[in-house]
Structure formats: C-alpha cells, structure tokens
Amino acid sequence: MVLTDTHCHLNWDSYDTDRSVVVERAAEAGVALILNPGIDIPSSKAAIHLAEEHPIVYAAVGVHPNSASTWEAGTLAELRDLAQHPKVLAIGEIGLDYYRDRAPRYVQEQVLHYQLELASELSLPVIIHNREATDDVVRKLVDWQKQLLEANSTLAKRPGVLHSYSGNISQSQTALEANFYLGVTGPVTFKKADDLRQVVQQIPMDRLLIETDAPFLTPHPYRGKRNEPAHVQYTAQKVAELHSLTEDDVADRTTENAARLFRWKV
C-alpha cells in the first residue's frame, strides 16, 4: 500500500524534538510522499529546507490568509524565486479565512489574487485554505480557472486542491466542474461529522486527495494528540468505508490523483 499526505506542516515547532523520527514513522506506515506548504515567507523557506533534507518530503510556497498582513512590496518576487526550487510543486497554502479574520478581508483577497496570478505564470497548481468563506473562495477559483481556459493554459486541467474541504455538496460540485481536487482530512473520522461524510461520499474517487494537516486535525483514534503524516492511513480507512472500497484501493487512487495534480513520481 502506497499512501500520500498531500498537506502537512512538518516545520511546526511541535516537531522540533522528533521531526526526523516522524518522517521515518510515516515511511514505515506506507507514506511515500509528503507535501509541506508554507504559510508565509519564513515557513516557505523552512518547507524547502525540509524537502532538501528528506527525500519523501516536497514543498509548496505561499502566504496564508491569516498571514496576509505580512505581504510587502517584495513578497511576490521572493515567492517567485522560491518557487524555482525543483522540490516546490505548488503555490500554497493560500486562500481566505473569515473565521480568524487576522487580516482584513480586502487584504486577503488582494494577496490571494497576486498568488493566483503567480500560479498562472509558473503553471503551478494552488493549495487553497478556506474557513467560513466557501462561496467567495469557490467563486474566485472558478473565475480564475476560466481565465486559464481562455489562455489555453494546461493548468486549467489541474488548477489545484481545496484543502481540508468543508463546504457543502453543491459547492463541491461547482469546484469539481472547474477541475479542482478536494482534500479530505481527519475530521471525516469524527463521531459527529455526518454532514462531512455525506459530502465525501459524493466526491468522485478520481478527484479526492487525503491529507493530515498535521500537527492539526488528528483523526480518531488519536484525536486530541499531535497529528503526523503516518495518521493519514486513518483518513484512508474512513474514505474506503464511505466509498465501499478497500484501503489499498483508496491508497492507490489518491496516490495517482496526487501524482496527476502535483506531477511528482512515487
């Protein structure tokens, strides 16, 4: 069984004492590839450094909406330079967050716009954060994907992933029609997550990714403890149950999906 964790934050300080062991434990659990997105310039640099240290780790670079106020005149150029690294596979984690509201919404929108344009320029897919902003996020992404189509960009076929998807079925259909993938994380295993499970059942298997968002969103049976990439297997198990597949089937299909989106090789 070959698994992928398409979203985690190994540079977080909660891994400072055992980061290499966490990566080894992931490999032992069958995780062949891990994608570590940045949330600002320093963490994007850290993600690249970790990718250089660990063969199974890759990086994405970007400014998270909660970090949007850190955007400066030179940030776009710095992200462009960082994205040239051979182990950078995407622009992310970017998007909108109306829950934390750590940056004004108009600032978040402008920073998202800059980074979507950068993704277009570099033909790199995007990793989208969304919290309580699904309608606005989906609308902006659909408009952007239409622009990619009009420009005959090959990125229009693989524009990105809505990380840790939390919208409803209708919103998911709109995103899927625009060729986006949807990421599923640990909450799908939570006892009271029936609404989320209903959505996940409707996601076609060829457009579904599994993620941990470690050290956050730890799945059952480890909920309440620090999450790590090895735990992506529990999300795979729940997806298998919801789609009436074996865990091996889910591992294979989601690994193929990740390879199609991010163009990495297992």
Side-chain angles (χ1 to χ4, degrees):
M1 183 172 65
V2 178
L3 293 158
T4 54
D5 180 2
T6 56
H7 196 114
C8 73
H9 299 281
L10 286 171
N11 51 290
W12 217 256
D13 57 8
S14 59
Y15 296 115
D16 284 351
T17 61
D18 64 346
R19 188 171 287 109
S20 293
V21 174
V22 167
V23 175
E24 290 173 7
R25 197 153 48 226
E28 291 169 359
V31 180
L33 294 169
I34 299 169
L35 185 52
N36 192 117
I39 61 169
D40 53 22
I41 293 296
S43 62
S44 294
K45 291 178 178 178
I48 292 173
H49 179 67
L50 286 171
E52 291 172 338
E53 283 190 332
H54 302 284
I56 71 170
V57 177
Y58 286 78
V61 298
V63 175
H64 190 285
N66 290 338
S67 303
S69 293
T70 68
W71 192 274
E72 299 176 338
T75 300
L76 183 62
E78 195 160 9
L79 284 175
R80 183 181 289 109
D81 288 344
L82 291 174
Q84 306 307 313
H85 192 282
K87 293 200 79 175
V88 171
L89 303 180
I91 301 299
E93 176 178 354
I94 66 177
L96 299 175
D97 192 315
Y98 293 170
Y99 176 76
R100 296 290 183 191
D101 259 349
R102 290 180 179 165
R105 293 183 183 184
Y106 75 91
V107 174
Q108 293 186 41
E109 291 177 1
Q110 190 63 60
V111 169
L112 174 59
H113 171 76
Y114 290 146
Q115 294 181 100
L116 291 174
E117 291 299 302
L118 179 63
S120 300
E121 174 190 335
L122 301 178
S123 198
L124 287 174
V126 293
I127 298 171
I128 298 295
H129 172 94
N130 160 49
R131 194 161 185 190
E132 298 190 2
T134 309
D135 283 338
D136 285 352
V137 164
V138 171
R139 174 174 51 81
K140 290 179 182 298
L141 293 179
V142 167
D143 288 346
W144 176 61
Q145 196 262 352
K146 287 179 180 177
Q147 294 172 16
L148 294 173
L149 284 171
E150 291 169 358
N152 292 319
S153 171
T154 57
L155 192 61
K157 295 181 180 179
R158 55 177 198 103
V161 55
L162 277 73
H163 149 65
S164 192
Y165 185 74
S166 60
N168 61 36
I169 292 174
S170 175
Q171 293 161 333
S172 73
Q173 291 301 315
T174 302
L176 290 166
E177 288 169 5
N179 291 336
F180 281 88
Y181 291 74
L182 303 180
V184 179
T185 46
V188 74
T189 69
F190 295 174
K191 184 176 181 180
K192 297 182 179 180
D194 290 337
D195 289 347
L196 176 59
R197 282 188 281 274
Q198 288 179 8
V199 173
V200 172
Q201 282 182 307
Q202 300 300 315
I203 301 174
M205 278 305 305
D206 64 347
R207 304 287 284 286
L208 190 150
L209 302 178
I210 49 175
E211 319 168 326
T212 60
D213 200 25
F216 314 106
L217 303 181
T218 311
H220 176 79
Y222 294 99
R223 189 176 183 185
K225 300 179 180 180
R226 183 191 69 176
N227 202 3
E228 59 180 75
H231 292 161
V232 76
Q233 62 186 298
Y234 299 103
T235 299
Q237 288 171 7
K238 182 56 67 173
V239 170
E241 176 186 322
L242 294 172
H243 280 264
S244 299
L245 297 169
T246 68
E247 188 179 345
D248 282 357
D249 285 338
V250 170
D252 290 345
R253 294 192 193 191
T254 55
T255 294
E256 290 171 3
N257 296 343
R260 193 181 313 118
L261 175 59
F262 297 116
R263 293 186 174 174
W264 56 13
K265 293 183 179 180
V266 179

